[in-house]
Amino acid sequence: MASQSSSSRDSITPVQQMVASCSGALLTSLFVTPLDVIKIRLQAQKIPLTKGKCFVYCNGLMDHICVCENGNSRAWYKPRGHFSGTLDAFIKILRMEGIKALWSGLPPTLVMAVPATVIYFTAYDQLCAAFRLQMGERAEMAPLLAGAVARVGSATLISPLELIRTKLQSQRQSYRELSAVIRSAVHTEGWLTLWRGLGPTLLRDVPFSAMYWYNYEKAKAWLCQYNKISEPTFSITFISGAVSGSIASIATLPFDVVKTRRQVELGELQAKNLSPRASSSTYNVMKRIVAESGVRGLFAGFMPRLIKVAPACAIMISTYEFGKAFFRKQNQERPVLTLQTNNTRSL
């Protein structure tokens, strides 16, 4: 009976999990967004973006398709001088455009990526706890299964919003016209059009999530055992998140390359009000990449992806675990405070 009471105090509620994951998502967005803004600005000066062209903007939490328009003031692709490298770009953007330019694209992150991350992390924790109870001796596989299922759910929920947001950007419409966009797309192409692009997203994100959570839990447990402590510290969760994120990003890189290419193609077709071609399927995109650049083309962008994913995973998971530890401590102290208050009233 006492152990049951103790476990209930040590656990945290789904709402507290949501608050913890929301904090992690906000911090990750704030830290990683400048890195991707600089990366896109460097890429744009090598291959100038013409009107109607698309590029993928990713802040460590979520991908966003952006349509380039001449004369647009979005700082991530508006040409402003020449950059010789990452540090030079950072200094010149600060000097010429101000500190706000480094966080261009943060609003769509806060609107879409943060809710998606909250759903994903909360679902993972709830599913992992349930799978551990059901799987018994094979409970160590629970993080792998929970990570995969949680990612399928969150990606499926957010996919229609991502497609609609791309249409709004490409066609210069306001959010008030959102319902008209939905009705038009469904009427012309059916309900499944809202989930276009979900296939390559799942091919990349589901294996990534499964490997990430499995390796993260293993690394965290090993580091705790090595340091002879029962609860992971902030540094342990940070290192575990960075290592597991790096492994998962390397393993799923070909799917990331295919997904990025397909996203850009779909975005450009939507900007021109054209229907997607059959050749835009995941398999055909992969064949085209191999034909153009060889097998090495499927591993393009290895270092930039690693540099961005590792710190993003580390910041997100360590902040999330810190938030959960904070709420867990609050829950443990609450019964003590309640007992002291009752004793004071009785006196």
Side-chain angles (χ1 to χ4, degrees), residues 27 216 229 231-241 314-323:
L27 279 177
Y216 170 73
I229 55 177
E231 293 294 330
T233 61
F234 184 86
S235 59
I236 286 178
T237 57
F238 190 93
I239 293 170
S240 300
I315 295 169
M316 179 66 218
I317 195 63
S318 56
T319 307
Y320 179 55
E321 294 282 15
F322 179 82

Side-chain angles (χ1 to χ4, degrees), residues 38 41-42 45 78-86 88-90 92-93 96-97:
I38 292 171
R41 294 288 293 275
L42 289 170
Q45 76 176 9
K78 186 174 181 179
R80 291 278 187 89
H82 181 80
F83 308 128
S84 59
T86 302
D88 182 56
F90 179 79
K92 286 182 177 178
I93 290 172
M96 294 187 294
E97 303 172 40

Side-chain angles (χ1 to χ4, degrees), residues 148 151-153 155-156 197-208 259:
R151 177 58 74 182
V152 170
T156 303
L198 180 61
T201 299
L202 295 179
L203 283 174
R204 181 195 68 170
D205 291 355
V206 173
F208 179 96
K259 177 178 179 289

Side-chain angles (χ1 to χ4, degrees), residues 205-225:
D205 291 355
V206 173
F208 179 96
S209 297
M211 286 186 285
Y212 171 78
W213 285 111
Y214 180 79
N215 290 325
Y216 170 73
E217 297 290 354
K218 283 287 186 183
K220 184 174 68 171
W222 184 85
L223 287 172
C224 286
Q225 186 178 6

Side-chain angles (χ1 to χ4, degrees), residues 78-131:
K78 186 174 181 179
R80 291 278 187 89
H82 181 80
F83 308 128
S84 59
T86 302
L87 183 60
D88 182 56
F90 179 79
I91 294 172
K92 286 182 177 178
I93 290 172
L94 278 178
R95 186 182 301 164
M96 294 187 294
E97 303 172 40
I99 193 169
K100 288 183 179 180
L102 290 171
W103 279 272
S104 301
L106 191 58
T109 299
L110 300 180
V111 170
M112 293 183 61
V114 171
T117 304
V118 169
I119 294 169
Y120 170 53
F121 275 78
T122 306
Y124 167 77
D125 265 346
Q126 296 293 318
L127 288 169
C128 192
F131 288 151

